[in-house]
Amino acid sequence: MITREEIPTLLDHPVYDGDGNKIGEAKHVFLDDVSGRPEWVTVKTGLFGSSESFVPVRDASLVQDHLEVPYRKDKVKGAPNVDVDAGGHLSEDEEHRLYDYYGIDWDSVLAESGEAGDRDRTTGTGPAGAAGRATADTASHRGEESHVRAGTDDAMTRSEEQMHVGVERRESGRARLRKYVVTEEVQQTVPVRHEEVRVEREPITDANRDQAMAGQDITEAEHEVTLYEERPVVETEAVPVERVRLTTEERTEQETVRGQVRKEHIEDEAAGAGEHTSRRDRDVPERGGE
């Protein structure tokens, strides 16, 4: 159970589930109107913290600089949506719905807050057991009330929404290198040699007379000469010619993002002549205690 003294340490710090997964940042703490004890913490979840989910703190624990709750991250993110800016309070119906979602018995909650004897447990009627929002400033002053009440002073808070734009990294495509084989016709001229027969005749001279007169006088004879020629021989060899790789580079471009934000306006409305000037309630949520 979280105490009031621990609220300033808790706000704007991480909230983790029982498996050690970060759920978000603690934004608000809601106190029980009767006991004054912390009952709920809102956790900013979603992209850029755009959503707030309610988590009961009855079984939560503050560990160093973060809060641990006994619920899984997806369980917290799927909690019923409650407007935390609607007067800074949770109604009895909203609390009942949230406790049912987290599987917490409603009667045990009433008994712990000291209201069990004042309520009709069957119909749920009786004093509204709402929880009021607290901040680090309100929690540090124990004499102040734990909830925000409209109309307690003569000032009205005007609020407006601000747009926060961030970036997310996502896959935009893929590129790959693929190697394949093609066959090309190539042509190259090389010199080749071959032998041809040429008949040479020489007259009988004193130098060759002895060779000419050797052997039989008149005979039949043959003389054979082997001829040679060159032919092209083709061989192929694979040799590396270059290295190819894929690299990525980042380029920054300017992109305009448009959105809608809401603003509250406050204006005076005067009554008819002869009447006192008064203010009319408008559909503008009032905040206090922040």
Side-chain angles (χ1 to χ4, degrees):
M1 175 67 71
I2 305 302
T3 64
R4 290 174 60 110
E5 290 78 7
E6 294 174 320
I7 294 178
T9 305
L10 168 65
L11 294 177
D12 296 323
H13 281 74
V15 179
Y16 287 82
D17 65 9
D19 297 330
N21 300 313
K22 182 179 178 181
I23 304 174
E25 304 287 336
K27 181 63 177 177
H28 298 103
V29 174
F30 282 69
L31 310 179
D32 185 271
D33 283 349
V34 175
S35 66
R37 295 179 304 183
E39 287 288 322
W40 301 93
V41 61
T42 64
V43 183
K44 296 180 65 175
T45 61
L47 186 63
F48 312 127
S50 56
S51 302
E52 286 190 47
S53 300
F54 277 79
V55 187
V57 296
R58 54 188 292 157
D59 296 321
S61 58
L62 191 61
V63 180
Q64 295 180 351
D65 60 344
H66 67 271
L67 181 70
E68 291 187 0
V69 295
Y71 306 103
R72 296 178 60 88
K73 181 178 180 178
D74 53 355
K75 179 73 172 180
V76 175
K77 295 181 68 173
N81 185 31
V82 177
D83 185 6
V84 296
D85 290 328
H89 261 74
L90 286 176
S91 67
E92 181 180 357
D93 290 339
E94 290 171 336
E95 274 202 296
H96 201 163
R97 183 157 52 98
L98 286 169
Y99 276 124
D100 285 344
Y101 175 78
Y102 284 103
I104 300 176
D105 182 62
W106 179 245
D107 288 342
S108 65
V109 174
L110 299 181
E112 290 180 4
S113 62
E115 297 182 73
D118 298 332
R119 294 177 184 265
D120 184 340
R121 296 188 180 183
T122 303
T123 62
T125 60
R133 184 173 60 196
T135 64
D137 293 334
T138 58
S140 62
H141 297 82
R142 300 179 63 89
E144 297 184 11
E145 296 190 22
S146 63
H147 59 282
V148 179
R149 293 185 297 182
T152 58
D153 54 23
D154 57 354
M156 183 181 294
T157 300
R158 186 184 70 84
S159 303
E160 66 182 32
E161 294 178 339
Q162 295 181 347
M163 185 171 68
H164 301 280
V165 180
V167 296
E168 64 174 348
R169 188 177 182 89
R170 63 183 181 87
E171 184 178 297
S172 60
R174 294 191 178 186
R176 64 168 59 92
L177 286 177
R178 183 173 65 90
K179 185 170 70 171
Y180 58 96
V181 178
V182 297
T183 301
E184 297 180 351
E185 292 289 339
V186 296
Q187 181 176 309
Q188 186 175 348
T189 302
V190 296
V192 294
R193 296 176 299 177
H194 69 278
E195 296 177 343
E196 295 180 352
V197 174
R198 183 166 57 89
V199 178
E200 294 182 354
R201 298 176 185 270
E202 59 181 18
I204 302 299
T205 63
D206 293 338
N208 60 15
R209 183 178 300 276
D210 293 338
Q211 294 179 351
M213 296 300 293
Q216 299 177 2
D217 294 335
I218 303 296
T219 61
E220 293 182 357
E222 292 182 356
H223 182 68
E224 184 178 275
V225 176
T226 302
L227 303 177
Y228 293 93
E229 67 177 4
E230 294 178 339
R231 290 184 179 181
V233 177
V234 178
E235 294 181 353
T236 60
E237 177 187 6
V239 295
V241 293
E242 66 176 349
R243 298 282 291 167
V244 181
R245 66 171 55 87
L246 286 177
T247 61
T248 61
E249 61 180 10
E250 287 190 355
R251 295 188 177 182
T252 302
E253 299 177 352
Q254 300 296 327
E255 183 172 341
T256 302
V257 179
R258 292 181 173 86
Q260 294 182 344
V261 296
R262 298 178 299 169
K263 297 183 179 180
E264 298 175 344
H265 292 273
I266 300 175
E267 60 183 16
D268 293 334
E269 290 190 359
E275 297 183 5
H276 296 289
T277 301
S278 62
R279 293 181 182 271
R280 187 180 64 187
D281 293 337
R282 298 176 179 82
D283 295 334
V284 179
E286 296 184 359
R287 301 181 183 179
E290 293 189 2

